[in-house]
Each structure stands twice: as structure tokens, then as C-alpha cells.
Amino acid sequence: QVQLVESGGGLVQPGGSLRLSCAASGRIFSIATMGWYRQAPGKQRELVAAITSGGNIKYVDSVKGRFTISRDNAKNTLDLQMNSLKPEDTAVYYCNADLPLYVMNYWGKGTLVTVSS
């Protein structure tokens, strides 16, 4: 069983910054594609950013230039630095680990980010 635990969510004013972290257990972290997803009320969950085991990175267009995803394989952690936050970024953010070759996918419980004045 792989366990993912998110932290760092909270309330921030528009234009502010937050840093989300995901701590992962298990011995397969280094070969997994890791990602951050978010879900706002009444909307479907969407991919925010992802990083492969080889370091390839993808962002949704709405966060390009503002968010930065990174991973530390030695510590089994995944981070998301969020700058210039907007009210539209308000959502529950989820950490995800994907190993398609093994047909395995894991989710954290989520952390709430609220952007409001």
C-alpha cells in the first residue's frame, strides 16, 4: 500500500503564495509519475501539474508561469510552489502517484486552498 499525505493548504489573499507538500510512503516513489490535481465545488477534478520519473513536467495552461512542481526522490516528497494566486485557484488540491506499467494509481486525501480577500 502506498500512502500520500498532503500539507500546506490554507487561506491566502489574491496575489499571495503558498507551498504545498506531499509525503509519500513506499519504495516505488522514484519510478512513479507524480502530480497535483484540484477540484473546485461543482466542477470536475483537473490536472494542475505533473512530473515524471525522468523529470518531464506538464502544467495546465491556467497556472503556467505561476506554479512550479518539483520532487525529491531521496526524501519521497512532492512540492507545488504557487505564486500570484487568484480566487479561481480556490479548490481542494490532491497529490497523485501513477504507475501505469503496473496498473496502479494512488491518491491523497487532499488539502484545501482558499484564495480570498
Side-chain angles (χ1 to χ4, degrees):
Q1 178 73 13
V2 174
Q3 295 182 349
L4 306 173
V5 180
E6 302 97 334
S7 63
L11 175 65
V12 64
Q13 293 184 336
S17 299
L18 282 175
R19 187 176 183 88
L20 305 183
S21 295
C22 173
S25 65
R27 303 177 68 180
I28 47 78
F29 178 86
S30 63
I31 63 173
T33 293
M34 302 297 299
W36 288 99
Y37 289 73
R38 67 185 180 187
Q39 187 167 23
K43 297 184 178 180
Q44 291 186 316
R45 185 158 53 190
E46 68 170 347
L47 174 67
V48 178
I51 181 169
T52 69
S53 60
N56 293 320
I57 294 174
K58 177 183 179 181
Y59 297 101
V60 67
D61 287 343
S62 61
V63 309
K64 288 181 179 178
R66 300 189 297 121
F67 291 10
T68 302
I69 189 171
S70 61
R71 67 191 296 165
D72 187 333
N73 290 340
K75 297 181 178 180
N76 283 13
T77 56
L78 175 76
D79 293 336
L80 184 68
Q81 178 65 46
M82 305 185 294
N83 298 326
S84 301
L85 283 162
K86 304 175 180 180
E88 307 89 85
D89 296 317
T90 296
V92 176
Y93 285 71
Y94 298 90
C95 179
N96 174 263
D98 187 50
L99 295 99
L101 293 179
Y102 299 96
V103 197
M104 293 189 293
N105 189 268
Y106 303 91
W107 294 92
K109 294 182 179 180
T111 185
L112 177 63
V113 172
T114 303
V115 185
S116 179
S117 60

PDB file of all heavy atoms in Angstrom, residues 10-14 18 20 37-44 46 48 62-63 66-67 82 84-94 111-117:
ATOM      1  N   GLY A  10      -4.359  26.356   2.985  1.00  0.00           N
ATOM      2  CA  GLY A  10      -4.815  27.380   3.900  1.00  0.00           C
ATOM      3  C   GLY A  10      -5.458  28.535   3.175  1.00  0.00           C
ATOM      4  O   GLY A  10      -5.794  28.447   1.998  1.00  0.00           O
ATOM      5  N   LEU A  11      -5.633  29.637   3.900  1.00  0.00           N
ATOM      6  CA  LEU A  11      -6.236  30.853   3.370  1.00  0.00           C
ATOM      7  C   LEU A  11      -5.155  31.851   2.997  1.00  0.00           C
ATOM      8  O   LEU A  11      -4.247  32.113   3.790  1.00  0.00           O
ATOM      9  CB  LEU A  11      -7.177  31.469   4.407  1.00  0.00           C
ATOM     10  CG  LEU A  11      -7.797  32.821   4.060  1.00  0.00           C
ATOM     11  CD1 LEU A  11      -8.725  32.689   2.862  1.00  0.00           C
ATOM     12  CD2 LEU A  11      -8.544  33.376   5.269  1.00  0.00           C
ATOM     13  N   VAL A  12      -5.261  32.408   1.797  1.00  0.00           N
ATOM     14  CA  VAL A  12      -4.286  33.386   1.323  1.00  0.00           C
ATOM     15  C   VAL A  12      -5.008  34.447   0.502  1.00  0.00           C
ATOM     16  O   VAL A  12      -6.022  34.165  -0.135  1.00  0.00           O
ATOM     17  CB  VAL A  12      -3.176  32.701   0.494  1.00  0.00           C
ATOM     18  CG1 VAL A  12      -3.753  32.089  -0.776  1.00  0.00           C
ATOM     19  CG2 VAL A  12      -2.059  33.678   0.165  1.00  0.00           C
ATOM     20  N   GLN A  13      -4.499  35.678   0.531  1.00  0.00           N
ATOM     21  CA  GLN A  13      -5.087  36.760  -0.248  1.00  0.00           C
ATOM     22  C   GLN A  13      -4.671  36.674  -1.712  1.00  0.00           C
ATOM     23  O   GLN A  13      -3.623  36.104  -2.037  1.00  0.00           O
ATOM     24  CB  GLN A  13      -4.660  38.112   0.324  1.00  0.00           C
ATOM     25  CG  GLN A  13      -5.218  38.403   1.711  1.00  0.00           C
ATOM     26  CD  GLN A  13      -4.864  39.791   2.198  1.00  0.00           C
ATOM     27  OE1 GLN A  13      -3.885  40.383   1.757  1.00  0.00           O
ATOM     28  NE2 GLN A  13      -5.670  40.313   3.109  1.00  0.00           N
ATOM     29  N   PRO A  14      -5.488  37.216  -2.618  1.00  0.00           N
ATOM     30  CA  PRO A  14      -5.089  37.250  -4.024  1.00  0.00           C
ATOM     31  C   PRO A  14      -3.722  37.891  -4.199  1.00  0.00           C
ATOM     32  O   PRO A  14      -3.420  38.902  -3.575  1.00  0.00           O
ATOM     33  CB  PRO A  14      -6.186  38.085  -4.685  1.00  0.00           C
ATOM     34  CG  PRO A  14      -7.376  37.876  -3.809  1.00  0.00           C
ATOM     35  CD  PRO A  14      -6.826  37.785  -2.409  1.00  0.00           C
ATOM     36  N   LEU A  18       1.586  30.179  -1.678  1.00  0.00           N
ATOM     37  CA  LEU A  18       1.529  29.018  -0.808  1.00  0.00           C
ATOM     38  C   LEU A  18       2.419  27.936  -1.387  1.00  0.00           C
ATOM     39  O   LEU A  18       2.624  27.885  -2.603  1.00  0.00           O
ATOM     40  CB  LEU A  18       0.107  28.466  -0.678  1.00  0.00           C
ATOM     41  CG  LEU A  18      -0.887  29.182   0.237  1.00  0.00           C
ATOM     42  CD1 LEU A  18      -2.258  28.516   0.114  1.00  0.00           C
ATOM     43  CD2 LEU A  18      -0.415  29.152   1.682  1.00  0.00           C
ATOM     44  N   LEU A  20       2.607  23.789  -1.295  1.00  0.00           N
ATOM     45  CA  LEU A  20       2.018  22.517  -0.918  1.00  0.00           C
ATOM     46  C   LEU A  20       3.072  21.422  -0.952  1.00  0.00           C
ATOM     47  O   LEU A  20       3.956  21.429  -1.808  1.00  0.00           O
ATOM     48  CB  LEU A  20       0.877  22.139  -1.856  1.00  0.00           C
ATOM     49  CG  LEU A  20      -0.257  23.150  -2.024  1.00  0.00           C
ATOM     50  CD1 LEU A  20      -1.336  22.576  -2.934  1.00  0.00           C
ATOM     51  CD2 LEU A  20      -0.836  23.551  -0.676  1.00  0.00           C
ATOM     52  N   TYR A  37      -3.548  17.518  -8.569  1.00  0.00           N
ATOM     53  CA  TYR A  37      -4.861  17.761  -9.141  1.00  0.00           C
ATOM     54  C   TYR A  37      -5.638  18.679  -8.211  1.00  0.00           C
ATOM     55  O   TYR A  37      -5.304  18.805  -7.031  1.00  0.00           O
ATOM     56  CB  TYR A  37      -5.633  16.451  -9.313  1.00  0.00           C
ATOM     57  CG  TYR A  37      -5.108  15.539 -10.404  1.00  0.00           C
ATOM     58  CD1 TYR A  37      -3.925  14.837 -10.241  1.00  0.00           C
ATOM     59  CD2 TYR A  37      -5.819  15.363 -11.592  1.00  0.00           C
ATOM     60  CE1 TYR A  37      -3.452  13.993 -11.232  1.00  0.00           C
ATOM     61  CE2 TYR A  37      -5.355  14.518 -12.582  1.00  0.00           C
ATOM     62  CZ  TYR A  37      -4.167  13.834 -12.397  1.00  0.00           C
ATOM     63  OH  TYR A  37      -3.708  12.994 -13.380  1.00  0.00           O
ATOM     64  N   ARG A  38      -6.681  19.299  -8.732  1.00  0.00           N
ATOM     65  CA  ARG A  38      -7.536  20.124  -7.884  1.00  0.00           C
ATOM     66  C   ARG A  38      -8.990  19.981  -8.312  1.00  0.00           C
ATOM     67  O   ARG A  38      -9.292  19.688  -9.464  1.00  0.00           O
ATOM     68  CB  ARG A  38      -7.116  21.596  -7.921  1.00  0.00           C
ATOM     69  CG  ARG A  38      -7.323  22.295  -9.263  1.00  0.00           C
ATOM     70  CD  ARG A  38      -6.750  23.706  -9.218  1.00  0.00           C
ATOM     71  NE  ARG A  38      -6.930  24.412 -10.477  1.00  0.00           N
ATOM     72  CZ  ARG A  38      -6.411  25.597 -10.758  1.00  0.00           C
ATOM     73  NH1 ARG A  38      -5.670  26.226  -9.847  1.00  0.00           N
ATOM     74  NH2 ARG A  38      -6.633  26.177 -11.933  1.00  0.00           N
ATOM     75  N   GLN A  39      -9.874  20.204  -7.354  1.00  0.00           N
ATOM     76  CA  GLN A  39     -11.300  20.126  -7.613  1.00  0.00           C
ATOM     77  C   GLN A  39     -12.012  21.244  -6.869  1.00  0.00           C
ATOM     78  O   GLN A  39     -11.953  21.323  -5.643  1.00  0.00           O
ATOM     79  CB  GLN A  39     -11.874  18.771  -7.194  1.00  0.00           C
ATOM     80  CG  GLN A  39     -13.322  18.577  -7.590  1.00  0.00           C
ATOM     81  CD  GLN A  39     -13.769  17.135  -7.460  1.00  0.00           C
ATOM     82  OE1 GLN A  39     -13.187  16.354  -6.712  1.00  0.00           O
ATOM     83  NE2 GLN A  39     -14.797  16.771  -8.212  1.00  0.00           N
ATOM     84  N   ALA A  40     -12.669  22.115  -7.620  1.00  0.00           N
ATOM     85  CA  ALA A  40     -13.471  23.190  -7.061  1.00  0.00           C
ATOM     86  C   ALA A  40     -14.916  22.707  -6.932  1.00  0.00           C
ATOM     87  O   ALA A  40     -15.335  21.775  -7.627  1.00  0.00           O
ATOM     88  CB  ALA A  40     -13.396  24.425  -7.951  1.00  0.00           C
ATOM     89  N   PRO A  41     -15.707  23.335  -6.048  1.00  0.00           N
ATOM     90  CA  PRO A  41     -17.099  22.919  -5.870  1.00  0.00           C
ATOM     91  C   PRO A  41     -17.876  22.933  -7.180  1.00  0.00           C
ATOM     92  O   PRO A  41     -17.835  23.910  -7.929  1.00  0.00           O
ATOM     93  CB  PRO A  41     -17.651  23.952  -4.888  1.00  0.00           C
ATOM     94  CG  PRO A  41     -16.456  24.407  -4.116  1.00  0.00           C
ATOM     95  CD  PRO A  41     -15.333  24.415  -5.114  1.00  0.00           C
ATOM     96  N   GLY A  42     -18.570  21.838  -7.469  1.00  0.00           N
ATOM     97  CA  GLY A  42     -19.388  21.746  -8.666  1.00  0.00           C
ATOM     98  C   GLY A  42     -18.626  21.498  -9.949  1.00  0.00           C
ATOM     99  O   GLY A  42     -19.233  21.481 -11.021  1.00  0.00           O
ATOM    100  N   LYS A  43     -17.313  21.297  -9.866  1.00  0.00           N
ATOM    101  CA  LYS A  43     -16.507  21.077 -11.056  1.00  0.00           C
ATOM    102  C   LYS A  43     -15.779  19.744 -10.981  1.00  0.00           C
ATOM    103  O   LYS A  43     -15.610  19.171  -9.904  1.00  0.00           O
ATOM    104  CB  LYS A  43     -15.495  22.209 -11.239  1.00  0.00           C
ATOM    105  CG  LYS A  43     -16.113  23.580 -11.468  1.00  0.00           C
ATOM    106  CD  LYS A  43     -15.052  24.622 -11.729  1.00  0.00           C
ATOM    107  CE  LYS A  43     -15.664  25.986 -12.004  1.00  0.00           C
ATOM    108  NZ  LYS A  43     -14.618  27.005 -12.258  1.00  0.00           N
ATOM    109  N   GLN A  44     -15.343  19.259 -12.141  1.00  0.00           N
ATOM    110  CA  GLN A  44     -14.583  18.019 -12.199  1.00  0.00           C
ATOM    111  C   GLN A  44     -13.145  18.246 -11.754  1.00  0.00           C
ATOM    112  O   GLN A  44     -12.612  19.352 -11.863  1.00  0.00           O
ATOM    113  CB  GLN A  44     -14.601  17.442 -13.620  1.00  0.00           C
ATOM    114  CG  GLN A  44     -15.952  16.926 -14.079  1.00  0.00           C
ATOM    115  CD  GLN A  44     -15.875  16.242 -15.421  1.00  0.00           C
ATOM    116  OE1 GLN A  44     -15.220  16.734 -16.339  1.00  0.00           O
ATOM    117  NE2 GLN A  44     -16.540  15.106 -15.541  1.00  0.00           N
ATOM    118  N   GLU A  46      -9.287  18.342 -12.055  1.00  0.00           N
ATOM    119  CA  GLU A  46      -8.421  18.609 -13.189  1.00  0.00           C
ATOM    120  C   GLU A  46      -6.960  18.480 -12.803  1.00  0.00           C
ATOM    121  O   GLU A  46      -6.576  18.726 -11.651  1.00  0.00           O
ATOM    122  CB  GLU A  46      -8.673  20.010 -13.762  1.00  0.00           C
ATOM    123  CG  GLU A  46      -8.249  21.142 -12.838  1.00  0.00           C
ATOM    124  CD  GLU A  46      -8.283  22.511 -13.505  1.00  0.00           C
ATOM    125  OE1 GLU A  46      -8.393  22.579 -14.749  1.00  0.00           O
ATOM    126  OE2 GLU A  46      -8.201  23.521 -12.783  1.00  0.00           O
ATOM    127  N   VAL A  48      -3.381  19.784 -12.478  1.00  0.00           N
ATOM    128  CA  VAL A  48      -2.729  21.076 -12.348  1.00  0.00           C
ATOM    129  C   VAL A  48      -1.299  21.006 -12.868  1.00  0.00           C
ATOM    130  O   VAL A  48      -0.863  21.839 -13.667  1.00  0.00           O
ATOM    131  CB  VAL A  48      -2.734  21.564 -10.890  1.00  0.00           C
ATOM    132  CG1 VAL A  48      -1.994  22.898 -10.764  1.00  0.00           C
ATOM    133  CG2 VAL A  48      -4.159  21.686 -10.382  1.00  0.00           C
ATOM    134  N   SER A  62      -3.691  27.444 -17.272  1.00  0.00           N
ATOM    135  CA  SER A  62      -4.092  28.493 -16.351  1.00  0.00           C
ATOM    136  C   SER A  62      -3.082  28.776 -15.243  1.00  0.00           C
ATOM    137  O   SER A  62      -3.163  29.817 -14.588  1.00  0.00           O
ATOM    138  CB  SER A  62      -5.451  28.158 -15.728  1.00  0.00           C
ATOM    139  OG  SER A  62      -5.392  26.945 -15.004  1.00  0.00           O
ATOM    140  N   VAL A  63      -2.115  27.872 -15.015  1.00  0.00           N
ATOM    141  CA  VAL A  63      -1.139  28.081 -13.946  1.00  0.00           C
ATOM    142  C   VAL A  63       0.280  28.256 -14.464  1.00  0.00           C
ATOM    143  O   VAL A  63       1.197  28.482 -13.660  1.00  0.00           O
ATOM    144  CB  VAL A  63      -1.167  26.930 -12.917  1.00  0.00           C
ATOM    145  CG1 VAL A  63      -2.583  26.674 -12.435  1.00  0.00           C
ATOM    146  CG2 VAL A  63      -0.550  25.658 -13.492  1.00  0.00           C
ATOM    147  N   ARG A  66       3.111  30.645 -13.003  1.00  0.00           N
ATOM    148  CA  ARG A  66       2.776  30.958 -11.615  1.00  0.00           C
ATOM    149  C   ARG A  66       3.090  29.818 -10.655  1.00  0.00           C
ATOM    150  O   ARG A  66       3.492  30.055  -9.515  1.00  0.00           O
ATOM    151  CB  ARG A  66       1.296  31.316 -11.477  1.00  0.00           C
ATOM    152  CG  ARG A  66       0.870  32.518 -12.310  1.00  0.00           C
ATOM    153  CD  ARG A  66      -0.548  32.958 -11.975  1.00  0.00           C
ATOM    154  NE  ARG A  66      -1.533  31.915 -12.281  1.00  0.00           N
ATOM    155  CZ  ARG A  66      -2.356  31.381 -11.382  1.00  0.00           C
ATOM    156  NH1 ARG A  66      -2.308  31.786 -10.112  1.00  0.00           N
ATOM    157  NH2 ARG A  66      -3.231  30.453 -11.746  1.00  0.00           N
ATOM    158  N   PHE A  67       2.902  28.571 -11.095  1.00  0.00           N
ATOM    159  CA  PHE A  67       3.118  27.392 -10.251  1.00  0.00           C
ATOM    160  C   PHE A  67       4.374  26.651 -10.695  1.00  0.00           C
ATOM    161  O   PHE A  67       4.712  26.626 -11.888  1.00  0.00           O
ATOM    162  CB  PHE A  67       1.938  26.424 -10.347  1.00  0.00           C
ATOM    163  CG  PHE A  67       0.658  26.918  -9.722  1.00  0.00           C
ATOM    164  CD1 PHE A  67       0.510  28.224  -9.303  1.00  0.00           C
ATOM    165  CD2 PHE A  67      -0.400  26.040  -9.564  1.00  0.00           C
ATOM    166  CE1 PHE A  67      -0.677  28.668  -8.740  1.00  0.00           C
ATOM    167  CE2 PHE A  67      -1.590  26.465  -9.002  1.00  0.00           C
ATOM    168  CZ  PHE A  67      -1.731  27.782  -8.590  1.00  0.00           C
ATOM    169  N   MET A  82       3.113  27.786  -5.357  1.00  0.00           N
ATOM    170  CA  MET A  82       2.047  28.532  -6.005  1.00  0.00           C
ATOM    171  C   MET A  82       2.227  30.013  -5.714  1.00  0.00           C
ATOM    172  O   MET A  82       2.143  30.443  -4.561  1.00  0.00           O
ATOM    173  CB  MET A  82       0.678  28.059  -5.523  1.00  0.00           C
ATOM    174  CG  MET A  82       0.445  26.565  -5.698  1.00  0.00           C
ATOM    175  SD  MET A  82      -1.242  26.060  -5.257  1.00  0.00           S
ATOM    176  CE  MET A  82      -1.211  26.408  -3.503  1.00  0.00           C
ATOM    177  N   SER A  84       1.380  34.245  -7.093  1.00  0.00           N
ATOM    178  CA  SER A  84       0.378  35.083  -7.758  1.00  0.00           C
ATOM    179  C   SER A  84      -0.986  34.416  -7.768  1.00  0.00           C
ATOM    180  O   SER A  84      -1.668  34.350  -8.792  1.00  0.00           O
ATOM    181  CB  SER A  84       0.826  35.408  -9.187  1.00  0.00           C
ATOM    182  OG  SER A  84       2.071  36.075  -9.195  1.00  0.00           O
ATOM    183  N   LEU A  85      -1.404  33.941  -6.619  1.00  0.00           N
ATOM    184  CA  LEU A  85      -2.649  33.184  -6.522  1.00  0.00           C
ATOM    185  C   LEU A  85      -3.864  34.046  -6.838  1.00  0.00           C
ATOM    186  O   LEU A  85      -3.908  35.231  -6.511  1.00  0.00           O
ATOM    187  CB  LEU A  85      -2.785  32.574  -5.137  1.00  0.00           C
ATOM    188  CG  LEU A  85      -1.912  31.332  -4.920  1.00  0.00           C
ATOM    189  CD1 LEU A  85      -1.752  31.035  -3.441  1.00  0.00           C
ATOM    190  CD2 LEU A  85      -2.528  30.133  -5.639  1.00  0.00           C
ATOM    191  N   LYS A  86      -4.851  33.420  -7.474  1.00  0.00           N
ATOM    192  CA  LYS A  86      -6.084  34.064  -7.874  1.00  0.00           C
ATOM    193  C   LYS A  86      -7.265  33.376  -7.202  1.00  0.00           C
ATOM    194  O   LYS A  86      -7.176  32.205  -6.838  1.00  0.00           O
ATOM    195  CB  LYS A  86      -6.252  33.986  -9.393  1.00  0.00           C
ATOM    196  CG  LYS A  86      -5.094  34.558 -10.194  1.00  0.00           C
ATOM    197  CD  LYS A  86      -5.297  34.317 -11.684  1.00  0.00           C
ATOM    198  CE  LYS A  86      -4.152  34.874 -12.492  1.00  0.00           C
ATOM    199  NZ  LYS A  86      -4.334  34.634 -13.948  1.00  0.00           N
ATOM    200  N   PRO A  87      -8.394  34.076  -7.045  1.00  0.00           N
ATOM    201  CA  PRO A  87      -9.576  33.414  -6.479  1.00  0.00           C
ATOM    202  C   PRO A  87      -9.974  32.146  -7.231  1.00  0.00           C
ATOM    203  O   PRO A  87     -10.489  31.207  -6.615  1.00  0.00           O
ATOM    204  CB  PRO A  87     -10.658  34.492  -6.589  1.00  0.00           C
ATOM    205  CG  PRO A  87      -9.900  35.777  -6.506  1.00  0.00           C
ATOM    206  CD  PRO A  87      -8.615  35.513  -7.246  1.00  0.00           C
ATOM    207  N   GLU A  88      -9.729  32.109  -8.532  1.00  0.00           N
ATOM    208  CA  GLU A  88     -10.058  30.944  -9.342  1.00  0.00           C
ATOM    209  C   GLU A  88      -9.224  29.716  -8.984  1.00  0.00           C
ATOM    210  O   GLU A  88      -9.548  28.602  -9.406  1.00  0.00           O
ATOM    211  CB  GLU A  88      -9.873  31.250 -10.836  1.00  0.00           C
ATOM    212  CG  GLU A  88     -10.611  32.487 -11.314  1.00  0.00           C
ATOM    213  CD  GLU A  88      -9.776  33.742 -11.174  1.00  0.00           C
ATOM    214  OE1 GLU A  88      -8.975  34.031 -12.099  1.00  0.00           O
ATOM    215  OE2 GLU A  88      -9.922  34.445 -10.152  1.00  0.00           O
ATOM    216  N   ASP A  89      -8.145  29.899  -8.223  1.00  0.00           N
ATOM    217  CA  ASP A  89      -7.320  28.779  -7.782  1.00  0.00           C
ATOM    218  C   ASP A  89      -7.902  28.071  -6.567  1.00  0.00           C
ATOM    219  O   ASP A  89      -7.380  27.029  -6.154  1.00  0.00           O
ATOM    220  CB  ASP A  89      -5.900  29.250  -7.447  1.00  0.00           C
ATOM    221  CG  ASP A  89      -5.164  29.799  -8.659  1.00  0.00           C
ATOM    222  OD1 ASP A  89      -5.262  29.190  -9.744  1.00  0.00           O
ATOM    223  OD2 ASP A  89      -4.485  30.833  -8.515  1.00  0.00           O
ATOM    224  N   THR A  90      -8.951  28.623  -5.981  1.00  0.00           N
ATOM    225  CA  THR A  90      -9.571  28.021  -4.808  1.00  0.00           C
ATOM    226  C   THR A  90     -10.091  26.627  -5.133  1.00  0.00           C
ATOM    227  O   THR A  90     -10.885  26.454  -6.057  1.00  0.00           O
ATOM    228  CB  THR A  90     -10.711  28.899  -4.289  1.00  0.00           C
ATOM    229  OG1 THR A  90     -10.190  30.156  -3.851  1.00  0.00           O
ATOM    230  CG2 THR A  90     -11.429  28.229  -3.128  1.00  0.00           C
ATOM    231  N   ALA A  91      -9.640  25.636  -4.375  1.00  0.00           N
ATOM    232  CA  ALA A  91     -10.020  24.248  -4.625  1.00  0.00           C
ATOM    233  C   ALA A  91      -9.379  23.351  -3.579  1.00  0.00           C
ATOM    234  O   ALA A  91      -8.515  23.786  -2.817  1.00  0.00           O
ATOM    235  CB  ALA A  91      -9.578  23.803  -6.021  1.00  0.00           C
ATOM    236  N   VAL A  92      -9.805  22.099  -3.552  1.00  0.00           N
ATOM    237  CA  VAL A  92      -9.099  21.074  -2.802  1.00  0.00           C
ATOM    238  C   VAL A  92      -8.031  20.502  -3.720  1.00  0.00           C
ATOM    239  O   VAL A  92      -8.329  20.075  -4.837  1.00  0.00           O
ATOM    240  CB  VAL A  92     -10.043  19.964  -2.311  1.00  0.00           C
ATOM    241  CG1 VAL A  92      -9.250  18.859  -1.613  1.00  0.00           C
ATOM    242  CG2 VAL A  92     -11.093  20.536  -1.370  1.00  0.00           C
ATOM    243  N   TYR A  93      -6.794  20.499  -3.261  1.00  0.00           N
ATOM    244  CA  TYR A  93      -5.670  20.021  -4.051  1.00  0.00           C
ATOM    245  C   TYR A  93      -5.269  18.624  -3.590  1.00  0.00           C
ATOM    246  O   TYR A  93      -5.109  18.382  -2.392  1.00  0.00           O
ATOM    247  CB  TYR A  93      -4.486  20.979  -3.932  1.00  0.00           C
ATOM    248  CG  TYR A  93      -4.664  22.249  -4.727  1.00  0.00           C
ATOM    249  CD1 TYR A  93      -5.587  23.213  -4.333  1.00  0.00           C
ATOM    250  CD2 TYR A  93      -3.931  22.475  -5.890  1.00  0.00           C
ATOM    251  CE1 TYR A  93      -5.775  24.364  -5.077  1.00  0.00           C
ATOM    252  CE2 TYR A  93      -4.106  23.627  -6.631  1.00  0.00           C
ATOM    253  CZ  TYR A  93      -5.028  24.571  -6.223  1.00  0.00           C
ATOM    254  OH  TYR A  93      -5.199  25.717  -6.965  1.00  0.00           O
ATOM    255  N   TYR A  94      -5.103  17.711  -4.557  1.00  0.00           N
ATOM    256  CA  TYR A  94      -4.804  16.319  -4.276  1.00  0.00           C
ATOM    257  C   TYR A  94      -3.458  15.911  -4.860  1.00  0.00           C
ATOM    258  O   TYR A  94      -3.130  16.270  -5.991  1.00  0.00           O
ATOM    259  CB  TYR A  94      -5.869  15.395  -4.876  1.00  0.00           C
ATOM    260  CG  TYR A  94      -7.265  15.597  -4.329  1.00  0.00           C
ATOM    261  CD1 TYR A  94      -8.138  16.489  -4.932  1.00  0.00           C
ATOM    262  CD2 TYR A  94      -7.701  14.882  -3.218  1.00  0.00           C
ATOM    263  CE1 TYR A  94      -9.417  16.675  -4.444  1.00  0.00           C
ATOM    264  CE2 TYR A  94      -8.973  15.064  -2.721  1.00  0.00           C
ATOM    265  CZ  TYR A  94      -9.828  15.957  -3.342  1.00  0.00           C
ATOM    266  OH  TYR A  94     -11.096  16.131  -2.855  1.00  0.00           O
ATOM    267  N   THR A 111      -5.897  18.733   0.372  1.00  0.00           N
ATOM    268  CA  THR A 111      -5.716  19.876   1.252  1.00  0.00           C
ATOM    269  C   THR A 111      -6.390  21.088   0.611  1.00  0.00           C
ATOM    270  O   THR A 111      -6.271  21.309  -0.596  1.00  0.00           O
ATOM    271  CB  THR A 111      -4.219  20.146   1.524  1.00  0.00           C
ATOM    272  OG1 THR A 111      -4.078  21.205   2.474  1.00  0.00           O
ATOM    273  CG2 THR A 111      -3.471  20.513   0.250  1.00  0.00           C
ATOM    274  N   LEU A 112      -7.112  21.867   1.409  1.00  0.00           N
ATOM    275  CA  LEU A 112      -7.920  22.966   0.893  1.00  0.00           C
ATOM    276  C   LEU A 112      -7.102  24.235   0.755  1.00  0.00           C
ATOM    277  O   LEU A 112      -6.429  24.663   1.699  1.00  0.00           O
ATOM    278  CB  LEU A 112      -9.117  23.219   1.810  1.00  0.00           C
ATOM    279  CG  LEU A 112     -10.026  24.402   1.445  1.00  0.00           C
ATOM    280  CD1 LEU A 112     -10.680  24.167   0.090  1.00  0.00           C
ATOM    281  CD2 LEU A 112     -11.084  24.613   2.517  1.00  0.00           C
ATOM    282  N   VAL A 113      -7.189  24.854  -0.424  1.00  0.00           N
ATOM    283  CA  VAL A 113      -6.580  26.148  -0.691  1.00  0.00           C
ATOM    284  C   VAL A 113      -7.697  27.142  -0.970  1.00  0.00           C
ATOM    285  O   VAL A 113      -8.503  26.930  -1.877  1.00  0.00           O
ATOM    286  CB  VAL A 113      -5.611  26.093  -1.891  1.00  0.00           C
ATOM    287  CG1 VAL A 113      -5.140  27.499  -2.269  1.00  0.00           C
ATOM    288  CG2 VAL A 113      -4.429  25.199  -1.573  1.00  0.00           C
ATOM    289  N   THR A 114      -7.749  28.216  -0.189  1.00  0.00           N
ATOM    290  CA  THR A 114      -8.752  29.254  -0.364  1.00  0.00           C
ATOM    291  C   THR A 114      -8.065  30.582  -0.633  1.00  0.00           C
ATOM    292  O   THR A 114      -7.258  31.034   0.180  1.00  0.00           O
ATOM    293  CB  THR A 114      -9.649  29.381   0.874  1.00  0.00           C
ATOM    294  OG1 THR A 114     -10.275  28.131   1.150  1.00  0.00           O
ATOM    295  CG2 THR A 114     -10.724  30.438   0.650  1.00  0.00           C
ATOM    296  N   VAL A 115      -8.374  31.196  -1.769  1.00  0.00           N
ATOM    297  CA  VAL A 115      -7.794  32.474  -2.158  1.00  0.00           C
ATOM    298  C   VAL A 115      -8.899  33.522  -2.094  1.00  0.00           C
ATOM    299  O   VAL A 115      -9.807  33.521  -2.929  1.00  0.00           O
ATOM    300  CB  VAL A 115      -7.172  32.424  -3.557  1.00  0.00           C
ATOM    301  CG1 VAL A 115      -6.481  33.747  -3.872  1.00  0.00           C
ATOM    302  CG2 VAL A 115      -6.191  31.266  -3.663  1.00  0.00           C
ATOM    303  N   SER A 116      -8.822  34.411  -1.110  1.00  0.00           N
ATOM    304  CA  SER A 116      -9.882  35.384  -0.897  1.00  0.00           C
ATOM    305  C   SER A 116      -9.347  36.584  -0.131  1.00  0.00           C
ATOM    306  O   SER A 116      -8.459  36.457   0.714  1.00  0.00           O
ATOM    307  CB  SER A 116     -11.035  34.753  -0.115  1.00  0.00           C
ATOM    308  OG  SER A 116     -12.070  35.689   0.138  1.00  0.00           O
ATOM    309  N   SER A 117      -9.897  37.761  -0.424  1.00  0.00           N
ATOM    310  CA  SER A 117      -9.512  38.962   0.282  1.00  0.00           C
ATOM    311  C   SER A 117     -10.324  39.115   1.560  1.00  0.00           C
ATOM    312  O   SER A 117     -11.347  38.467   1.751  1.00  0.00           O
ATOM    313  CB  SER A 117      -9.705  40.192  -0.609  1.00  0.00           C
ATOM    314  OG  SER A 117     -11.055  40.323  -1.007  1.00  0.00           O
TER     315      SER A 117
END
